[in-house]
Amino acid sequence: MPEKVSKKRKTKVENEEKKETYSKRLRKRMMKTKEEDTLEDTPFHGSNHGNGDNDKIDPIDQPLDINDRIGSHGDKETVDKALPQFKCEPKLHGYTPLAYRSQNLVHFLQQYTSGQKRTVKLKQSLSSTVVNMISDLQLCRNASPFDRRVTTMEWHPTNPNILAVGSKGGDIMLWDTANVNNDKMIQGIGAGGIMNAIKFWPSDNNFILSAAVDGTVRLNDVDGRNSRVLADTMNPHDFWYCSVDVNDKRKMVVAGDNVGNTQLMTYEGKQIFNCRLHKQKVTHAEFSPREEWLLCTSSTDQTVQFWDVRMMKDRKSSLYILKHDKGINCAYFSGTDGCRLLTTDQGNQVRVYRAPDWVLERKISHPHRFFQHITPIKVNKFNRRGDTLASGMGVHILLWTRKEKLLKDRSLSCQP
């Protein structure tokens, strides 16, 4: 029995000596690591591993548990502070490609087509391009052909130099912005003949479709020969037309009046549909350039409504309603793809909605101070090429173009 006890004590003493020896060896190795300038000769570098006879790994290189690290003498904090701190993160000098640093629209489009979708930066690049272009516009021409204020205007669908302008007196001017000698005028009836909306006739651009306060939807011949009436309220004192548009694919004309009625008719003037879709004046009616069956109407009842002309029955058949805080002056589809809708109201907002759910994408503050003797905000349009802007200001028509184009035109006019 005493022999067994002595053996246990001897084993315990030997284990303590081994721990002490191991702890001393660990401290020596840590001191050596601090003194060395490089890591080539340290066991952590692993330069001797995997070299034939040296495959045997020294116990120092083995992972240490917490007891081994502390040893029989010393404490954990002391050992942790003494251990070398290795930083394995490489010092790299970053380089950002030009396409990522650039604000150029072409670079963003290149990234977008290659699958690198940077939507926020792309939108910023698109908007900055448009803002810069508009900021560069300068007044190049003006005209005052009417004795009453400008009420509506429309650019020619194919010729970017032809502008049709309507007045409060019922006059329509066909203005050739490139040649003053080609201007044409259709005389109106004067007081009570306000032109509320005009459109070029699709099949023959020498005809202009108009909706007027005289209670008619008329197809006007700019040469003054073959004008004809497509619709007439027969009571212009109480009922008149405020909006008009034409759909060439469906050979259809739409017109809205001052009490909320919306009327669809053929090119010959035959009525297809007539119903009071709004509670108040239909200020704007427009077919979508993307889907020929989609019709949008706006009203002073503070709503914009979408309709499928194939299924129009009554007010409950609207596809979608956009509610506003004030009466609405207009609701234009974007001319590029028809996936945006811009509305202006009689308060202080310009809104942009996005298809297909027509969610509100942006609000722009634009105080209007609307009342009946001021033309609503919608007499301001770019031509089909997008390089010329026409504005109506009282009895004046203003034409804006880019500075570089203006200088080029002036240099060409000065040549013999």
Side-chain angles (χ1 to χ4, degrees):
M1 190 70 182
E3 292 181 0
K4 291 184 178 180
V5 173
S6 62
K7 286 183 179 180
K8 287 183 178 179
R9 288 179 179 177
K10 184 178 180 181
T11 304
K12 185 176 180 181
V13 171
E14 289 177 353
N15 290 338
E16 288 180 354
E17 289 178 353
K18 286 181 180 180
K19 287 184 178 180
E20 183 179 1
T21 303
Y22 190 85
S23 178
K24 289 180 179 179
R25 290 173 64 192
L26 179 62
R27 287 191 178 90
K28 288 180 180 179
R29 182 55 57 92
M30 288 189 295
M31 294 299 295
K32 181 180 178 182
T33 305
K34 287 184 178 180
E35 294 173 358
E36 292 175 346
D37 296 329
T38 64
L39 302 176
E40 294 178 356
D41 298 329
T42 63
F44 296 95
H45 189 268
S47 59
N48 294 328
H49 294 172
N51 294 328
D53 297 332
N54 298 325
D55 287 344
K56 295 181 180 180
I57 302 175
D58 190 84
I60 296 300
D61 294 335
Q62 294 179 354
L64 306 178
D65 60 21
I66 188 64
N67 294 322
D68 292 334
R69 293 175 62 189
I70 296 174
S72 58
H73 300 285
D75 53 77
K76 179 177 180 297
E77 293 183 0
T78 304
V79 175
D80 285 342
K81 290 180 180 178
L83 285 173
Q85 302 296 325
F86 294 101
K87 295 183 179 180
C88 300
E89 298 180 0
K91 295 181 179 180
L92 301 177
H93 299 283
Y95 172 74
T96 304
L98 175 62
Y100 285 88
R101 292 181 283 115
S102 172
Q103 297 296 321
N104 192 303
L105 176 60
V106 177
H107 291 157
F108 282 115
L109 291 176
Q110 182 183 8
Q111 295 174 48
Y112 192 85
T113 53
S114 62
Q116 303 172 19
K117 297 183 179 181
R118 305 174 68 195
T119 308
V120 176
K121 292 290 185 180
L122 180 61
K123 288 182 178 180
Q124 293 176 356
S125 179
L126 288 169
S127 60
S128 63
T129 302
V130 176
V131 170
N132 293 336
M133 185 195 73
I134 295 177
S135 302
D136 194 43
L137 294 178
Q138 289 190 349
L139 182 64
C140 62
R141 286 188 61 187
N142 65 78
S144 304
F146 309 129
D147 57 354
R148 290 177 171 83
R149 62 183 166 89
V150 174
T151 56
T152 183
M153 60 176 57
E154 184 73 14
W155 284 97
H156 195 282
T158 57
N159 190 336
N161 296 321
I162 301 295
L163 176 69
V165 187
S167 77
K168 188 178 179 181
D171 306 313
I172 299 177
M173 177 189 181
L174 205 62
W175 189 20
D176 189 341
T177 61
N179 190 346
V180 293
N181 297 322
N182 290 338
D183 295 346
K184 297 180 181 179
M185 178 75 74
I186 301 174
Q187 295 294 332
I189 63 175
I194 304 174
M195 285 291 169
N196 285 322
I198 55 176
K199 292 283 182 178
F200 280 93
W201 194 246
S203 57
D204 189 348
N205 295 144
N206 286 323
F207 287 87
I208 298 176
L209 186 66
S210 66
V213 174
D214 64 359
T216 64
V217 174
R218 189 185 300 269
L219 193 59
N220 303 275
D221 184 357
V222 294
D223 295 325
R225 295 192 296 265
N226 298 318
S227 298
R228 56 192 176 94
V229 176
L230 299 182
D232 194 340
T233 64
M234 309 303 289
N235 182 12
H237 182 74
D238 297 319
F239 305 102
W240 59 88
Y241 289 103
C242 307
S243 54
V244 70
D245 196 16
V246 57
N247 188 331
D248 190 40
K249 292 183 179 179
R250 291 189 170 270
K251 309 299 180 185
M252 183 184 296
V253 175
V254 61
D257 66 17
N258 64 311
V259 295
N261 294 312
T262 301
Q263 181 177 345
L264 299 177
M265 65 192 83
T266 65
Y267 275 9
E268 292 74 28
K270 182 180 179 180
Q271 182 172 295
I272 302 173
F273 173 84
N274 191 6
C275 183
R276 190 165 184 251
L277 301 180
H278 289 272
K279 297 179 180 179
Q280 297 179 26
K281 181 192 301 183
V282 182
T283 54
H284 193 84
E286 185 172 318
F287 289 103
S288 169
R290 189 179 184 88
E291 293 90 8
E292 79 282 353
W293 49 266
L294 183 61
L295 171 67
C296 178
T297 58
S298 65
S299 171
T300 52
D301 66 2
Q302 304 180 12
T303 65
V304 173
Q305 300 194 44
F306 296 91
W307 313 88
D308 187 340
V309 296
R310 303 167 298 183
M311 299 182 292
M312 291 178 68
K313 296 179 179 179
D314 51 28
R315 190 181 299 175
K316 296 180 181 180
S317 62
S318 66
L319 300 176
Y320 203 78
I321 300 176
L322 304 177
K323 295 183 179 180
H324 289 59
D325 301 326
K326 297 288 184 179
I328 303 165
N329 296 326
C330 64
Y332 288 107
F333 285 104
S334 60
T336 53
D337 58 5
C339 291
R340 296 290 192 281
L341 186 80
L342 183 143
T343 67
T344 64
D345 63 21
Q346 295 179 3
N348 64 344
Q349 288 186 358
V350 177
R351 299 188 182 189
V352 179
Y353 294 88
R354 184 182 71 250
D357 298 329
W358 303 111
V359 295
L360 181 60
E361 190 174 54
R362 189 174 184 185
K363 287 183 181 181
I364 304 170
S365 179
H366 194 300
H368 186 30
R369 302 180 180 88
F370 174 82
F371 68 101
Q372 62 180 347
H373 299 297
I374 293 181
T375 301
I377 294 180
K378 61 181 181 177
V379 189
N380 205 41
K381 289 187 177 181
F382 279 99
N383 64 355
R384 300 295 179 180
R385 199 163 53 196
D387 62 353
T388 306
L389 175 69
S391 303
M393 186 184 69
V395 298
H396 307 288
I397 310 168
L398 308 179
L399 208 62
W400 309 80
T401 190
R402 300 183 67 176
K403 186 187 300 183
E404 56 186 29
K405 184 176 182 297
L406 181 61
L407 295 175
K408 181 179 178 181
D409 294 342
R410 287 178 178 175
S411 62
L412 290 175
S413 62
C414 293
Q415 292 179 1

